[in-house]
Amino acid sequence: MPFPIHRPRRLRASEPMRRLVRETRLAPSDFILPLFAVEGEGDRREIGSMPGNYQLSVDEIVKECELCHSLGIGGVILFGIPNEKDDCASQAYAEAGIVQRAVAAIKRAVPDLLVITDVCNCEYTSHGHCGKIVGEDVDNDATLAWLAASAVSHARAGTDIVAPSDMMDGRVAAIRAALDTAGFQKTPILSYAAKYASAFYGPFREAAESAPQFGDRRSYQMDPPNALEAMREIALDIEEGADMIMVKPAMPYLDIIRMARDRFDVPLAAYQVSGEFSMIMAAARNGWIDLDRAMIESLTAIRRAGAGFILTYFAQPAARLLA
Ligand code: PBG
């Protein structure tokens, strides 16, 4: 018998052949671009640790959204950076808060672009924690009211999806109830169900000016060694009414994405977080890796692990590469 009979290289011989047997595909519509809204006009402040990403005033955010729409990007997720922070995160749920105004302006200018709003308190509290501080820790149940009020204010402003990222217990149920009471039965919840206490959020905290002033987030975000706990978190959020779930970060947690995809049948997102983006950018800027290839490979890996869509700071350049 001639050796070898099986030659896997036959199906790798040319790009058309590889394309034919490719198991994972990327499209611009798989990507959600995170955007940071600040007060002001005509303001575009580049975020030092995240090249190509900016804190944008509302008029500039609208321009960015028009560009996203023309590139066929799936949508945007908004984070707000208010001028005034206080210990009760009041700008998070203010009717005319920065995110609420940004949503309204985007939906007016680009109604077809999907807008997701991040529901959390850390950008709005003077102490930088994701909820109300009682003693030395974030008080879970007291924080739920802030989250519910934020979600309703986002829905009122016209957001398409609310995405709680705070990791309080019971927040999905609280938000669902508040949305329904306020008449927003149709607004879906994308829950950051398995969100880890990760070192890879470093650059985001510069971008969102949300670093905790004391302590860390380990009493509410998940412990990185745990996988089964992530499955329990996801199951709880689905029970509480989450329409979609998210795993975050993405590349260091591909096993969690795969486990979630195999166990749950709701749409699954993954967040390629700021540190994942900045590491690739920094290595590319040093000439150590090829930016375009690393970008596409990282996004492909996240999709291959089972994510249906990806929150990524590469949304625009990746969409351009795929065009
Ligand atoms: C808010 C929030 C964070 C991120 C998304 N929502 C920061 C954090 O939890 O500290 C991180 C996103 C990123 O790093 O790109 N709670």
mmCIF file with all atom_site columns, all heavy atoms in Angstrom, residues 150-169:
data_model
loop_
_atom_site.group_PDB
_atom_site.id
_atom_site.type_symbol
_atom_site.label_atom_id
_atom_site.label_alt_id
_atom_site.label_comp_id
_atom_site.label_asym_id
_atom_site.label_entity_id
_atom_site.label_seq_id
_atom_site.pdbx_PDB_ins_code
_atom_site.Cartn_x
_atom_site.Cartn_y
_atom_site.Cartn_z
_atom_site.occupancy
_atom_site.B_iso_or_equiv
_atom_site.pdbx_formal_charge
_atom_site.auth_seq_id
_atom_site.auth_comp_id
_atom_site.auth_asym_id
_atom_site.auth_atom_id
_atom_site.pdbx_PDB_model_num
ATOM 1   N N   . SER A 1 150 ? -30.964 52.798 35.420 1.00 0.00 ? 150 SER A N   1
ATOM 2   C CA  . SER A 1 150 ? -30.124 53.076 34.255 1.00 0.00 ? 150 SER A CA  1
ATOM 3   C C   . SER A 1 150 ? -30.695 52.405 33.014 1.00 0.00 ? 150 SER A C   1
ATOM 4   O O   . SER A 1 150 ? -30.806 53.025 31.950 1.00 0.00 ? 150 SER A O   1
ATOM 5   C CB  . SER A 1 150 ? -28.697 52.559 34.463 1.00 0.00 ? 150 SER A CB  1
ATOM 6   O OG  . SER A 1 150 ? -28.086 53.215 35.536 1.00 0.00 ? 150 SER A OG  1
ATOM 7   N N   . ALA A 1 151 ? -31.048 51.127 33.166 1.00 0.00 ? 151 ALA A N   1
ATOM 8   C CA  . ALA A 1 151 ? -31.560 50.386 32.009 1.00 0.00 ? 151 ALA A CA  1
ATOM 9   C C   . ALA A 1 151 ? -32.820 51.048 31.458 1.00 0.00 ? 151 ALA A C   1
ATOM 10  O O   . ALA A 1 151 ? -32.973 51.206 30.237 1.00 0.00 ? 151 ALA A O   1
ATOM 11  C CB  . ALA A 1 151 ? -31.838 48.932 32.397 1.00 0.00 ? 151 ALA A CB  1
ATOM 12  N N   . VAL A 1 152 ? -33.714 51.456 32.354 1.00 0.00 ? 152 VAL A N   1
ATOM 13  C CA  . VAL A 1 152 ? -34.956 52.105 31.899 1.00 0.00 ? 152 VAL A CA  1
ATOM 14  C C   . VAL A 1 152 ? -34.637 53.429 31.208 1.00 0.00 ? 152 VAL A C   1
ATOM 15  O O   . VAL A 1 152 ? -35.202 53.747 30.155 1.00 0.00 ? 152 VAL A O   1
ATOM 16  C CB  . VAL A 1 152 ? -35.935 52.303 33.081 1.00 0.00 ? 152 VAL A CB  1
ATOM 17  C CG1 . VAL A 1 152 ? -37.106 53.198 32.684 1.00 0.00 ? 152 VAL A CG1 1
ATOM 18  C CG2 . VAL A 1 152 ? -36.431 50.950 33.583 1.00 0.00 ? 152 VAL A CG2 1
ATOM 19  N N   . SER A 1 153 ? -33.686 54.183 31.752 1.00 0.00 ? 153 SER A N   1
ATOM 20  C CA  . SER A 1 153 ? -33.352 55.476 31.120 1.00 0.00 ? 153 SER A CA  1
ATOM 21  C C   . SER A 1 153 ? -32.720 55.259 29.745 1.00 0.00 ? 153 SER A C   1
ATOM 22  O O   . SER A 1 153 ? -32.955 56.035 28.819 1.00 0.00 ? 153 SER A O   1
ATOM 23  C CB  . SER A 1 153 ? -32.424 56.304 32.030 1.00 0.00 ? 153 SER A CB  1
ATOM 24  O OG  . SER A 1 153 ? -31.128 55.743 32.083 1.00 0.00 ? 153 SER A OG  1
ATOM 25  N N   . HIS A 1 154 ? -31.952 54.190 29.582 1.00 0.00 ? 154 HIS A N   1
ATOM 26  C CA  . HIS A 1 154 ? -31.387 53.882 28.268 1.00 0.00 ? 154 HIS A CA  1
ATOM 27  C C   . HIS A 1 154 ? -32.498 53.500 27.281 1.00 0.00 ? 154 HIS A C   1
ATOM 28  O O   . HIS A 1 154 ? -32.484 53.905 26.120 1.00 0.00 ? 154 HIS A O   1
ATOM 29  C CB  . HIS A 1 154 ? -30.391 52.730 28.362 1.00 0.00 ? 154 HIS A CB  1
ATOM 30  C CG  . HIS A 1 154 ? -29.162 53.025 29.174 1.00 0.00 ? 154 HIS A CG  1
ATOM 31  N ND1 . HIS A 1 154 ? -28.221 52.071 29.477 1.00 0.00 ? 154 HIS A ND1 1
ATOM 32  C CD2 . HIS A 1 154 ? -28.714 54.175 29.755 1.00 0.00 ? 154 HIS A CD2 1
ATOM 33  C CE1 . HIS A 1 154 ? -27.247 52.618 30.203 1.00 0.00 ? 154 HIS A CE1 1
ATOM 34  N NE2 . HIS A 1 154 ? -27.532 53.889 30.398 1.00 0.00 ? 154 HIS A NE2 1
ATOM 35  N N   . ALA A 1 155 ? -33.439 52.693 27.775 1.00 0.00 ? 155 ALA A N   1
ATOM 36  C CA  . ALA A 1 155 ? -34.542 52.266 26.911 1.00 0.00 ? 155 ALA A CA  1
ATOM 37  C C   . ALA A 1 155 ? -35.368 53.474 26.475 1.00 0.00 ? 155 ALA A C   1
ATOM 38  O O   . ALA A 1 155 ? -35.744 53.605 25.307 1.00 0.00 ? 155 ALA A O   1
ATOM 39  C CB  . ALA A 1 155 ? -35.419 51.251 27.643 1.00 0.00 ? 155 ALA A CB  1
ATOM 40  N N   . ARG A 1 156 ? -35.599 54.378 27.412 1.00 0.00 ? 156 ARG A N   1
ATOM 41  C CA  . ARG A 1 156 ? -36.352 55.592 27.094 1.00 0.00 ? 156 ARG A CA  1
ATOM 42  C C   . ARG A 1 156 ? -35.638 56.415 26.030 1.00 0.00 ? 156 ARG A C   1
ATOM 43  O O   . ARG A 1 156 ? -36.265 57.030 25.171 1.00 0.00 ? 156 ARG A O   1
ATOM 44  C CB  . ARG A 1 156 ? -36.497 56.421 28.370 1.00 0.00 ? 156 ARG A CB  1
ATOM 45  C CG  . ARG A 1 156 ? -37.890 56.915 28.581 1.00 0.00 ? 156 ARG A CG  1
ATOM 46  C CD  . ARG A 1 156 ? -38.103 57.523 29.951 1.00 0.00 ? 156 ARG A CD  1
ATOM 47  N NE  . ARG A 1 156 ? -39.048 56.723 30.697 1.00 0.00 ? 156 ARG A NE  1
ATOM 48  C CZ  . ARG A 1 156 ? -38.941 56.415 31.975 1.00 0.00 ? 156 ARG A CZ  1
ATOM 49  N NH1 . ARG A 1 156 ? -37.907 56.846 32.681 1.00 0.00 ? 156 ARG A NH1 1
ATOM 50  N NH2 . ARG A 1 156 ? -39.854 55.675 32.545 1.00 0.00 ? 156 ARG A NH2 1
ATOM 51  N N   . ALA A 1 157 ? -34.310 56.419 26.082 1.00 0.00 ? 157 ALA A N   1
ATOM 52  C CA  . ALA A 1 157 ? -33.523 57.185 25.107 1.00 0.00 ? 157 ALA A CA  1
ATOM 53  C C   . ALA A 1 157 ? -33.499 56.489 23.751 1.00 0.00 ? 157 ALA A C   1
ATOM 54  O O   . ALA A 1 157 ? -33.093 57.090 22.759 1.00 0.00 ? 157 ALA A O   1
ATOM 55  C CB  . ALA A 1 157 ? -32.100 57.378 25.630 1.00 0.00 ? 157 ALA A CB  1
ATOM 56  N N   . GLY A 1 158 ? -33.922 55.213 23.717 1.00 0.00 ? 158 GLY A N   1
ATOM 57  C CA  . GLY A 1 158 ? -34.033 54.536 22.432 1.00 0.00 ? 158 GLY A CA  1
ATOM 58  C C   . GLY A 1 158 ? -33.031 53.428 22.177 1.00 0.00 ? 158 GLY A C   1
ATOM 59  O O   . GLY A 1 158 ? -32.893 52.946 21.053 1.00 0.00 ? 158 GLY A O   1
ATOM 60  N N   . THR A 1 159 ? -32.315 52.971 23.209 1.00 0.00 ? 159 THR A N   1
ATOM 61  C CA  . THR A 1 159 ? -31.337 51.901 22.984 1.00 0.00 ? 159 THR A CA  1
ATOM 62  C C   . THR A 1 159 ? -32.037 50.638 22.481 1.00 0.00 ? 159 THR A C   1
ATOM 63  O O   . THR A 1 159 ? -33.193 50.378 22.802 1.00 0.00 ? 159 THR A O   1
ATOM 64  C CB  . THR A 1 159 ? -30.539 51.599 24.277 1.00 0.00 ? 159 THR A CB  1
ATOM 65  O OG1 . THR A 1 159 ? -29.376 50.847 23.927 1.00 0.00 ? 159 THR A OG1 1
ATOM 66  C CG2 . THR A 1 159 ? -31.348 50.806 25.280 1.00 0.00 ? 159 THR A CG2 1
ATOM 67  N N   . ASP A 1 160 ? -31.325 49.858 21.694 1.00 0.00 ? 160 ASP A N   1
ATOM 68  C CA  . ASP A 1 160 ? -31.890 48.615 21.168 1.00 0.00 ? 160 ASP A CA  1
ATOM 69  C C   . ASP A 1 160 ? -31.727 47.455 22.135 1.00 0.00 ? 160 ASP A C   1
ATOM 70  O O   . ASP A 1 160 ? -32.533 46.530 22.150 1.00 0.00 ? 160 ASP A O   1
ATOM 71  C CB  . ASP A 1 160 ? -31.209 48.247 19.843 1.00 0.00 ? 160 ASP A CB  1
ATOM 72  C CG  . ASP A 1 160 ? -31.515 49.259 18.751 1.00 0.00 ? 160 ASP A CG  1
ATOM 73  O OD1 . ASP A 1 160 ? -32.707 49.440 18.444 1.00 0.00 ? 160 ASP A OD1 1
ATOM 74  O OD2 . ASP A 1 160 ? -30.573 49.881 18.229 1.00 0.00 ? 160 ASP A OD2 1
ATOM 75  N N   . ILE A 1 161 ? -30.638 47.475 22.901 1.00 0.00 ? 161 ILE A N   1
ATOM 76  C CA  . ILE A 1 161 ? -30.301 46.371 23.806 1.00 0.00 ? 161 ILE A CA  1
ATOM 77  C C   . ILE A 1 161 ? -29.621 46.962 25.046 1.00 0.00 ? 161 ILE A C   1
ATOM 78  O O   . ILE A 1 161 ? -28.782 47.858 24.908 1.00 0.00 ? 161 ILE A O   1
ATOM 79  C CB  . ILE A 1 161 ? -29.302 45.384 23.136 1.00 0.00 ? 161 ILE A CB  1
ATOM 80  C CG1 . ILE A 1 161 ? -29.891 44.777 21.852 1.00 0.00 ? 161 ILE A CG1 1
ATOM 81  C CG2 . ILE A 1 161 ? -28.855 44.279 24.099 1.00 0.00 ? 161 ILE A CG2 1
ATOM 82  C CD1 . ILE A 1 161 ? -28.870 44.029 20.993 1.00 0.00 ? 161 ILE A CD1 1
ATOM 83  N N   . VAL A 1 162 ? -29.958 46.450 26.228 1.00 0.00 ? 162 VAL A N   1
ATOM 84  C CA  . VAL A 1 162 ? -29.197 46.855 27.415 1.00 0.00 ? 162 VAL A CA  1
ATOM 85  C C   . VAL A 1 162 ? -28.291 45.697 27.853 1.00 0.00 ? 162 VAL A C   1
ATOM 86  O O   . VAL A 1 162 ? -28.666 44.529 27.769 1.00 0.00 ? 162 VAL A O   1
ATOM 87  C CB  . VAL A 1 162 ? -30.106 47.284 28.601 1.00 0.00 ? 162 VAL A CB  1
ATOM 88  C CG1 . VAL A 1 162 ? -30.835 48.582 28.275 1.00 0.00 ? 162 VAL A CG1 1
ATOM 89  C CG2 . VAL A 1 162 ? -31.084 46.191 28.984 1.00 0.00 ? 162 VAL A CG2 1
ATOM 90  N N   . ALA A 1 163 ? -27.082 46.063 28.297 1.00 0.00 ? 163 ALA A N   1
ATOM 91  C CA  . ALA A 1 163 ? -26.078 45.045 28.613 1.00 0.00 ? 163 ALA A CA  1
ATOM 92  C C   . ALA A 1 163 ? -25.468 45.301 29.987 1.00 0.00 ? 163 ALA A C   1
ATOM 93  O O   . ALA A 1 163 ? -24.520 46.075 30.124 1.00 0.00 ? 163 ALA A O   1
ATOM 94  C CB  . ALA A 1 163 ? -24.989 45.035 27.538 1.00 0.00 ? 163 ALA A CB  1
ATOM 95  N N   . PRO A 1 164 ? -26.022 44.675 31.024 1.00 0.00 ? 164 PRO A N   1
ATOM 96  C CA  . PRO A 1 164 ? -25.472 44.879 32.376 1.00 0.00 ? 164 PRO A CA  1
ATOM 97  C C   . PRO A 1 164 ? -24.120 44.184 32.548 1.00 0.00 ? 164 PRO A C   1
ATOM 98  O O   . PRO A 1 164 ? -23.967 42.999 32.243 1.00 0.00 ? 164 PRO A O   1
ATOM 99  C CB  . PRO A 1 164 ? -26.531 44.254 33.291 1.00 0.00 ? 164 PRO A CB  1
ATOM 100 C CG  . PRO A 1 164 ? -27.319 43.331 32.436 1.00 0.00 ? 164 PRO A CG  1
ATOM 101 C CD  . PRO A 1 164 ? -27.237 43.847 31.038 1.00 0.00 ? 164 PRO A CD  1
ATOM 102 N N   . SER A 1 165 ? -23.130 44.952 33.051 1.00 0.00 ? 165 SER A N   1
ATOM 103 C CA  . SER A 1 165 ? -21.763 44.425 33.173 1.00 0.00 ? 165 SER A CA  1
ATOM 104 C C   . SER A 1 165 ? -21.236 44.481 34.599 1.00 0.00 ? 165 SER A C   1
ATOM 105 O O   . SER A 1 165 ? -20.048 44.317 34.839 1.00 0.00 ? 165 SER A O   1
ATOM 106 C CB  . SER A 1 165 ? -20.822 45.219 32.269 1.00 0.00 ? 165 SER A CB  1
ATOM 107 O OG  . SER A 1 165 ? -20.664 46.542 32.735 1.00 0.00 ? 165 SER A OG  1
ATOM 108 N N   . ASP A 1 166 ? -22.136 44.724 35.553 1.00 0.00 ? 166 ASP A N   1
ATOM 109 C CA  . ASP A 1 166 ? -21.731 45.006 36.933 1.00 0.00 ? 166 ASP A CA  1
ATOM 110 C C   . ASP A 1 166 ? -21.432 43.769 37.774 1.00 0.00 ? 166 ASP A C   1
ATOM 111 O O   . ASP A 1 166 ? -20.730 43.850 38.770 1.00 0.00 ? 166 ASP A O   1
ATOM 112 C CB  . ASP A 1 166 ? -22.898 45.726 37.593 1.00 0.00 ? 166 ASP A CB  1
ATOM 113 C CG  . ASP A 1 166 ? -24.159 44.901 37.363 1.00 0.00 ? 166 ASP A CG  1
ATOM 114 O OD1 . ASP A 1 166 ? -24.727 44.959 36.253 1.00 0.00 ? 166 ASP A OD1 1
ATOM 115 O OD2 . ASP A 1 166 ? -24.545 44.131 38.269 1.00 0.00 ? 166 ASP A OD2 1
ATOM 116 N N   . MET A 1 167 ? -22.050 42.622 37.387 1.00 0.00 ? 167 MET A N   1
ATOM 117 C CA  . MET A 1 167 ? -21.898 41.347 38.116 1.00 0.00 ? 167 MET A CA  1
ATOM 118 C C   . MET A 1 167 ? -22.552 41.322 39.502 1.00 0.00 ? 167 MET A C   1
ATOM 119 O O   . MET A 1 167 ? -22.150 40.538 40.370 1.00 0.00 ? 167 MET A O   1
ATOM 120 C CB  . MET A 1 167 ? -20.427 40.927 38.200 1.00 0.00 ? 167 MET A CB  1
ATOM 121 C CG  . MET A 1 167 ? -19.847 40.488 36.869 1.00 0.00 ? 167 MET A CG  1
ATOM 122 S SD  . MET A 1 167 ? -20.751 39.100 36.112 1.00 0.00 ? 167 MET A SD  1
ATOM 123 C CE  . MET A 1 167 ? -20.040 37.692 36.965 1.00 0.00 ? 167 MET A CE  1
ATOM 124 N N   . MET A 1 168 ? -23.593 42.131 39.704 1.00 0.00 ? 168 MET A N   1
ATOM 125 C CA  . MET A 1 168 ? -24.383 41.981 40.929 1.00 0.00 ? 168 MET A CA  1
ATOM 126 C C   . MET A 1 168 ? -25.306 40.768 40.759 1.00 0.00 ? 168 MET A C   1
ATOM 127 O O   . MET A 1 168 ? -25.782 40.496 39.649 1.00 0.00 ? 168 MET A O   1
ATOM 128 C CB  . MET A 1 168 ? -25.263 43.224 41.181 1.00 0.00 ? 168 MET A CB  1
ATOM 129 C CG  . MET A 1 168 ? -24.492 44.501 41.464 1.00 0.00 ? 168 MET A CG  1
ATOM 130 S SD  . MET A 1 168 ? -23.345 44.377 42.845 1.00 0.00 ? 168 MET A SD  1
ATOM 131 C CE  . MET A 1 168 ? -21.799 44.710 42.007 1.00 0.00 ? 168 MET A CE  1
ATOM 132 N N   . ASP A 1 169 ? -25.583 40.071 41.850 1.00 0.00 ? 169 ASP A N   1
ATOM 133 C CA  . ASP A 1 169 ? -26.535 38.955 41.793 1.00 0.00 ? 169 ASP A CA  1
ATOM 134 C C   . ASP A 1 169 ? -27.937 39.506 41.617 1.00 0.00 ? 169 ASP A C   1
ATOM 135 O O   . ASP A 1 169 ? -28.315 40.484 42.272 1.00 0.00 ? 169 ASP A O   1
ATOM 136 C CB  . ASP A 1 169 ? -26.480 38.146 43.096 1.00 0.00 ? 169 ASP A CB  1
ATOM 137 C CG  . ASP A 1 169 ? -25.110 37.507 43.308 1.00 0.00 ? 169 ASP A CG  1
ATOM 138 O OD1 . ASP A 1 169 ? -24.440 37.198 42.304 1.00 0.00 ? 169 ASP A OD1 1
ATOM 139 O OD2 . ASP A 1 169 ? -24.723 37.327 44.480 1.00 0.00 ? 169 ASP A OD2 1
#
